[in-house]
Amino acid sequence: MKALSKLFIPLFFTLILIACKDDKDSSEEAKQSNSALQEMLIRLPIDYEMGDEFCYVNAQGDTVIPVGKFLHSFSDTIIDYGVVVEQTEGSYDLIAINPKGERLYKVYLFDNGPDYLIEGMFRIVKNDKIGFADSTGAIVIEPQFACAYQFSDGKAKVAFDCELEEDGEHSAMVSDNWIFIDKTGEIVDE
């Protein structure tokens, strides 16, 4: 949200988060506006908080992802993927979605939110295994590790066998079999 420059891209493939009370009203309002983009920029939720109603609209003002589909959003703009909180059967999942609102995979939870994009990669989770996706949301390294640290200097420390040891509100990844991988998933020297 801080960098509005990311909004100056071809908007026919872009979804923008807006504060919505009701999908139908937000779509009709945006369509009536002389410039749907100007309307959407004015309505971007600068002080958006957990629990606020939201939806995603396209450049034409059509609601693509309706109010109530997801509990919270970590993405104000969806180009390739967005990160949202999905509530299913009493549990909450931090997931990546495509511009249609379809679930792609779980995003690794780090520091009370989605894993940080570091060196063009962030951690994802499938079947309780950790892998990596790139800045477009494409899976680059399939989830296969029990534990994995973020990339640093082109390498990530990972383990196929690992345990999490709780330490208060934090946990530590513990393994006797750490290896290092590069951004293609190949094992490299430490």
Side-chain angles (χ1 to χ4, degrees), residues 124-187:
I124 63 170
V125 179
K126 275 189 178 178
N127 300 321
D128 295 325
K129 298 293 183 185
I130 302 169
F132 294 87
D134 65 16
S135 62
T136 69
I139 297 174
V140 177
I141 301 170
E142 284 293 329
Q144 57 192 294
F145 306 107
C147 291
Y149 285 97
Q150 296 163 323
F151 274 87
S152 176
D153 296 324
K155 298 180 282 190
K157 184 176 170 180
V158 299
F160 291 103
D161 61 336
C162 176
E163 292 184 25
L164 294 179
E165 288 187 0
E166 299 297 323
D167 181 22
E169 67 179 65
H170 302 285
S171 58
M173 294 183 251
V174 179
S175 177
D176 292 328
N177 300 305
W178 290 107
I179 58 174
F180 288 85
I181 58 169
D182 64 17
K183 291 183 181 181
T184 67
E186 294 296 316
I187 297 173

Side-chain angles (χ1 to χ4, degrees), residues 29-134:
E29 273 181 35
K31 285 178 183 176
Q32 291 172 1
S33 172
N34 290 338
S35 168
L37 175 59
Q38 286 179 346
E39 175 73 13
M40 288 182 283
L41 289 175
I42 291 168
R43 296 171 60 194
L44 282 173
I46 294 168
D47 57 350
Y48 173 73
E49 293 183 12
M50 179 75 93
D52 287 352
E53 292 182 329
F54 69 93
C55 64
Y56 282 94
V57 298
N58 62 18
Q60 292 75 38
D62 300 319
T63 299
V64 179
I65 300 173
V67 171
K69 181 161 182 167
F70 299 108
L71 185 63
H72 182 71
S73 177
F74 288 92
S75 304
D76 61 0
T77 305
I78 298 177
I79 300 168
D80 298 309
Y81 76 99
V83 179
V84 297
V85 175
E86 178 180 59
Q87 182 178 5
T88 53
E89 300 175 13
S91 69
Y92 301 91
D93 289 336
L94 186 61
I95 64 167
I97 58 171
N98 66 19
K100 294 178 183 177
E102 299 165 333
R103 182 186 182 119
L104 299 173
Y105 44 75
K106 283 185 181 180
V107 176
Y108 188 85
L109 180 66
F110 183 73
D111 199 20
N112 294 322
D115 196 34
Y116 301 128
L117 182 67
I118 296 180
E119 294 190 15
M121 306 279 270
F122 65 96
R123 292 172 287 185
I124 63 170
V125 179
K126 275 189 178 178
N127 300 321
D128 295 325
K129 298 293 183 185
I130 302 169
F132 294 87
D134 65 16

